[in-house]
Structure formats: structure tokens, C-alpha cells
Amino acid sequence: MMRFQHQNYYYYQPLRREAIAGLFMLLFPVCLLCVFAPFSHASPSKFSESNALKPRHLPLLKSALQRESSNGEPSDLRAPLADQGWRPCLASVNAPSLPQKSEGYLQVFLDGGLNQQRMGICDAVAVAKILNATLVIPHLEVNPVWQDSSSFMDIFDVDHFINVLKDDVTIVKELPDEFSWSTREYYAIAIRATRIKRAPVHASANWYLENVSPVLKSYGIAAISPFSHRLSFDNLPSEIQKLRCKVNFKALVFVPHIRALGDALVHRLRYPLAESQAHTIDDLSGNTDRNDKQRPQKFVVVHLRFDKDMAAHSACDFGGGKAEKLALAKYRQTLWGGRVLNSQFTDEELRSQGRCPLTPEEIGLLLAALGFDNSTRLYLASHKVYGGEARISTLRELFPMMESKKSLASSEERVRIKGKASLLAAVDYYVGLHSDIFVSASPGNMHNALMGHRTFENMKTIRPNMALLGQLFLNKNITWLEFRQAVVEGHQNRQGQLRLRKLKQSIYTYPAPDCMCQA
């Protein structure tokens, strides 16, 4: 027995050695992975927005950086717009007087960002006029992207708003006690007879008279939610169109602290020597005595609409490779469930159609090609730029005198707007309205709102030719001379020349001829 066990032992020794060797070979890759696990976070397959990317248009960028600086820009580039023969015209001889008795209270709930809500407010006043209703100060919903809970009264001067419109529409800050139950929460938990939920996009005046007026007469109150883009731009009485413009261009002004900060930023852009002095809250008073002898400088505001949701929604390629495409696709799926029209097209198709937002590098090349040199005072209006400083650095290299809210104002001055997207956008809107030139990197609500406001005031706004630029940037063999010539020619008639509104176009983007008269 002992002998048998002894022989068995020696018989299985080679098999055991082979089994151990095989097990080691199986476990070795696992052990190796564990050893190097700490370094796996640096893998290039894991995309980071803040990674410094190589410029996508390096030959053009090198040439643009070598362009000569000049003491003065071409005479027509920064010159104010010539008189185009149109003036603001808001008075209406046919406007009905304010009725003594209201049909009831009108509530609206507005989603979107600041400028979408701004247009909704204008429409709400117009609808209240159509219905002979008393308007309750609109409720601003919290945008899922911007996450700002600022109310109407946090952004706009409510007393000014009510006073300017007192002869047109009756407006109240809040409902009387008998209607205090009509709240957002009340409408969120059940179907309510006083809520109008299915107002069509761009509804006619007759639709409101037929569908909302009966609710007002029955209950004394009507709440419309959602309300954004719910009033037509066409086939409305002239007095209603003029009223919309009166709200937009006269009644809606920002709260005093926004205007004060905006004035301070504009002043520091006009008088850059003052920037070397300490920025204190006292500067917001607008005291400019110390700069009386300094010649005011002109400045350009660039609205860089290049945040993550814009980049993801565009479905364009921004140079981050496969990892970036996957990261943006995942974000797109989270935000919109993947339902984005652009995602069915290739990057080349999107760019040739002008459907990709301009990157900081591309907006810088556009401005350089138009003739702005590196002495240009640039103000960057933006919220959160996708890619952060890594992407902005190219624009800053082209325009080293670029400023922003953060660079011009102290943290103490910015404390009341910190982390509040609507208030930050309000400051940018204010500075953009008071700039010599405004240009936006992509179409959007801020672009449309400021273009309309500056048209109303006859101020220069550069509208990038997105389709042309997309095609030019796709051409990797184009020289700087060819690029500059094409850009200049393609933007000759896109620098603030007044364009009359066409059918279905927004009155807030094209205020003529509805709200402007030929002199």
C-alpha cells in the first residue's frame, strides 16, 4: 500500500507541474492588468474635454498670427452704420384704449434660456392684449441645461415693466388671494380645467379668442403651459406687432445691479487704462472723471455659443477623435434620448450646409480675415465654453486683448450673478447691446435677440456666413490669401444692413417694417 502511494505520487508530479504552469499562464494577464491599473486612467481612449487639442486649421492659424498689426483698422470695418433711412416706430393710432373691466387673469409658464423666455414675455403681453386679460408676471421655468431658478423679478426691472405698459395691458406681480391656488405645483399633479396645455406653436389671434377666452370667462383665470413660441408672427393687427416690440425694446430692462455691472464692464473696455486700477464696488457708480482725458476705444463683442449641449446637439466633429464622438453621443443620448436630426448626416455634410457652430479657433480666423488685428479689444460673451481654456487659447493667441466678465470685474462685483446662467447671460446681453460691433459664433436665441435689438438701434452686427465658412474650413489646401478674400467678399452685406422681415420670420430678429418706419 505504501509502495503504491509512493509510485502514484511520483506518477502525478509532472501533471501537477503542468497544471500549475497552465494556471500561471491564465492568471498572468489578470495580474499584469492589476499591476498597471493605476495607469489606465491616462488611457487615450478616455476622453477629457479639457485636453489640449491640436489646431484644426494650423496653416491658416500660422498665417493669421503673422498678419501685420496696424494703428487703425480699415475705415469701414469699425465705422458706425450709415443712416439706413429707418427709425423706431412704436406708436399706433389705432391701438384700442385699456378697457375698464378685465376678462380675467392670464398666467404663462416659460421654459428655455434667458432670450427664449424674453421673447415669450413679449408674446404673453400681446396675448393678454388680444384677450383683454390681466397679465400675471410670467413664471420662468428652471432650464434643465442651465439650472438657474432666477425669477422674472431677479432679472428684469418689474416696476419699469409695469409702468411702461400701463396704458396697454394691466399687469400684476401676483394673483389675488382668491386665485392663490393657481400655481405650477397645482397644474403638475392633475388635469385642470383652467390650464391650456395644447396651445399650438405660432397660434393665431383667433385661436386664443376661441380657446382661451371661454376659459377666462368661465373661471376668471387661464394658465398656458407650455407657452414658448405660441404666437404667430403673421396676420396680426399692427398694434399687436408694435406692442410686442415695445415690450422687447422698451419695457424689458434689466434690474439695476445688472445694468450697473454692465456699465462698469463697458466703461473698462472703452477706457482700458483704468483696468490697472483696483476694481471695487464703488466703480459701479459710473464715475468716469479720471478718464476724461483718455480717448474712448471701440470694442467687439463675440458671443461664443460653444457650450457642451450645443456641441453635442450639432453632431459635428470637433477634432477630439473617436473618443470625443462617443462622449458627445452619450451626452446627446442622456439629454435628448438620441433624437437629434443632425446625427444622421456626416460632418462634411453638416459643415457644407453651415450647421456646425464655429469653434473659438474658427471665429478667431473669421475676425482676423475680416481685418481685425491683434490690437482689437474683444469681449468674450459666453457661459461655459466646451473644452474650456484649452479651446479658447487659440482665440486668445489671435486676440491677446480679449476680455471677459471674469477678467474685467472682481469676484466681489460678480458675487450676485455667480452660478446664475440667466444673470450671466443678462450681463453679456447688456455689454453686447452697447458694443461697437457684435458677432455670434452660431445662430441661436442670443444671436437673434441681439441682432434684432441692434437693428432697432441701427448698430453694426456681423452675421457669419455659416455655409461659406463651413466649406472654406473643409478645404485643407486653401491659402490665407484665398481664405481672406472669400471671407471679405462673403460678408460684405452681412454687417448690419437692415433686412425686412419675411413671412414666418421672427419680429424680434427682424423688427422692420412692423416696428420701424422709413424716415
Side-chain angles (χ1 to χ4, degrees):
M1 187 70 177
M2 292 290 292
R3 180 67 176 172
F4 175 77
Q5 289 179 341
H6 179 74
Q7 288 178 341
N8 214 25
Y9 173 81
Y10 285 104
Y11 176 79
Y12 283 108
Q13 282 303 305
L15 293 179
R16 288 183 179 181
R17 285 195 296 270
E18 289 176 13
I20 292 170
L23 184 62
F24 176 78
M25 292 300 293
L26 285 171
L27 294 176
F28 178 75
V30 178
C31 297
L32 195 64
L33 185 63
C34 294
V35 170
F36 290 99
F39 302 99
S40 64
H41 295 290
S43 170
S45 64
K46 195 172 182 67
F47 180 75
S48 172
E49 294 175 29
S50 58
N51 285 344
L53 298 176
K54 179 182 177 182
R56 301 197 74 188
H57 313 289
L58 192 56
L60 292 178
L61 179 61
K62 287 181 177 178
S63 297
L65 289 170
Q66 293 171 0
R67 70 195 191 282
E68 293 183 4
S69 298
S70 60
N71 294 327
E73 302 290 352
S75 58
D76 61 340
L77 189 58
R78 292 191 183 182
L81 277 178
D83 189 340
Q84 301 184 73
W86 289 80
R87 301 285 186 275
C89 187
L90 300 180
S92 178
V93 294
N94 299 319
S97 59
L98 193 63
Q100 292 183 350
K101 188 176 185 303
S102 168
E103 294 290 344
Y105 293 95
L106 177 68
Q107 285 181 292
V108 296
F109 297 83
L110 302 173
D111 52 16
L114 172 68
N115 292 292
Q116 182 174 319
Q117 290 172 336
R118 182 189 186 100
M119 297 169 197
I121 293 166
C122 300
D123 287 348
V125 173
V127 170
K129 183 71 172 180
I130 291 168
L131 296 172
N132 183 26
T134 296
L135 179 67
V136 183
I137 289 295
H139 175 86
L140 308 185
E141 300 279 18
V142 178
N143 185 281
V145 174
W146 307 121
Q147 291 294 317
D148 186 353
S149 59
S150 297
S151 69
F152 183 105
M153 297 182 194
D154 293 327
I155 304 169
F156 300 107
D157 187 329
V158 66
D159 293 321
H160 176 86
F161 180 75
I162 293 173
N163 185 58
V164 169
L165 300 170
K166 66 180 185 298
D167 295 327
D168 301 290
V169 176
T170 301
I171 303 173
V172 296
K173 296 179 182 180
E174 56 186 22
L175 287 166
D177 291 342
E178 62 183 297
F179 293 110
S180 60
W181 47 265
S182 184
T183 63
R184 184 183 183 279
E185 291 71 27
Y186 173 76
Y187 294 110
I189 59 176
I191 297 174
R192 308 294 188 182
T194 52
R195 179 187 177 185
I196 289 82
K197 188 178 180 179
R198 302 189 183 279
V201 173
H202 299 152
S204 67
N206 283 338
W207 186 92
Y208 284 98
L209 291 170
E210 293 169 3
N211 294 272
V212 182
S213 187
V215 176
L216 281 171
K217 291 176 180 178
S218 297
Y219 300 97
I221 188 168
I224 308 177
S225 176
F227 184 72
S228 297
H229 309 297
R230 290 310 194 270
L231 181 62
S232 173
F233 291 118
D234 305 305
N235 302 316
L236 290 173
S238 173
E239 60 267 20
I240 294 297
Q241 298 288 60
K242 291 182 185 299
L243 177 59
R244 295 166 98 174
C245 290
K246 182 177 181 179
V247 180
N248 194 29
F249 303 131
K250 300 298 181 184
L252 283 175
V253 301
F254 298 120
V255 291
H257 78 87
I258 293 292
R259 301 200 306 269
L261 179 56
D263 284 334
L265 298 182
V266 170
H267 180 259
R268 291 164 192 169
L269 287 161
R270 293 248 181 255
Y271 300 94
L273 291 182
E275 292 179 33
S276 59
Q277 302 180 21
H279 297 326
T280 66
I281 299 298
D282 292 338
D283 288 336
L284 298 183
S285 64
N287 184 357
T288 60
D289 291 344
R290 64 186 176 220
N291 301 301
D292 284 343
K293 296 181 181 180
Q294 185 183 352
R295 183 179 177 182
Q297 294 191 17
K298 296 186 176 183
F299 68 95
V300 180
V301 168
V302 174
H303 177 235
L304 192 58
R305 180 72 166 92
F306 194 68
D307 40 52
K308 189 172 182 178
D309 70 306
M310 168 64 85
H313 195 272
S314 72
C316 299
D317 180 9
F318 298 108
K322 186 177 180 181
E324 182 183 49
K325 289 181 181 178
L326 291 173
L328 290 178
K330 184 178 179 181
Y331 185 76
R332 191 158 54 239
Q333 181 68 33
T334 302
L335 229 58
W336 301 286
R339 297 184 301 274
V340 174
L341 179 64
N342 280 8
S343 58
Q344 62 184 295
F345 299 101
T346 66
D347 180 71
E348 186 172 340
E349 290 172 331
L350 292 171
R351 291 190 180 279
S352 61
Q353 295 170 25
R355 295 166 73 171
C356 292
L358 298 178
T359 64
E361 176 188 2
E362 290 167 346
I363 194 71
L365 290 172
L366 165 64
L367 293 174
L370 285 172
F372 293 100
D373 66 17
N374 59 11
S375 68
T376 301
R377 298 282 292 170
L378 217 63
Y379 175 85
L380 186 62
S382 65
H383 181 45
K384 291 183 179 179
V385 175
Y386 172 63
E389 185 58 35
R391 286 194 188 268
I392 297 174
S393 59
T394 306
L395 178 59
R396 194 182 305 281
E397 193 175 2
L398 285 165
F399 296 97
M401 298 182 70
M402 185 172 72
E403 304 285 1
S404 65
K405 293 181 289 293
K406 192 172 182 179
S407 67
L408 288 173
S410 67
S411 57
E412 290 80 10
E413 289 173 312
R414 292 181 282 111
V415 69
R416 297 180 70 177
I417 65 172
K418 184 178 180 181
K420 298 177 180 178
S422 292
L423 300 186
L424 291 163
V427 173
D428 284 340
Y429 187 103
Y430 189 90
V431 177
L433 183 61
H434 291 81
S435 64
D436 297 284
I437 298 172
F438 175 78
V439 56
S440 183
S442 65
N445 289 323
M446 173 77 104
H447 166 88
N448 294 339
L450 266 173
M451 189 175 92
H453 206 152
R454 291 175 66 87
T455 296
F456 190 76
E457 303 288 351
N458 195 48
M459 302 173 75
K460 184 173 286 188
T461 302
I462 296 175
R463 296 182 300 110
N465 188 330
M466 302 297 287
L468 170 67
L469 291 169
Q471 293 164 18
L472 293 177
F473 286 128
L474 283 171
N475 183 358
K476 300 304 179 184
N477 297 316
I478 194 170
T479 66
W480 174 249
L481 185 62
E482 293 168 336
F483 178 78
R484 181 170 184 177
Q485 183 178 354
V487 166
V488 170
E489 290 177 357
H491 289 82
Q492 284 181 346
N493 298 317
R494 304 177 70 90
Q495 298 186 29
Q497 293 85 348
L498 188 141
R499 302 170 72 197
L500 298 182
R501 188 179 74 84
K502 298 177 181 178
L503 197 66
K504 297 184 178 180
Q505 287 184 330
S506 170
I507 196 172
Y508 307 121
T509 307
Y510 304 99
D514 302 87
C515 304
M516 302 181 74
C517 305
Q518 283 187 291

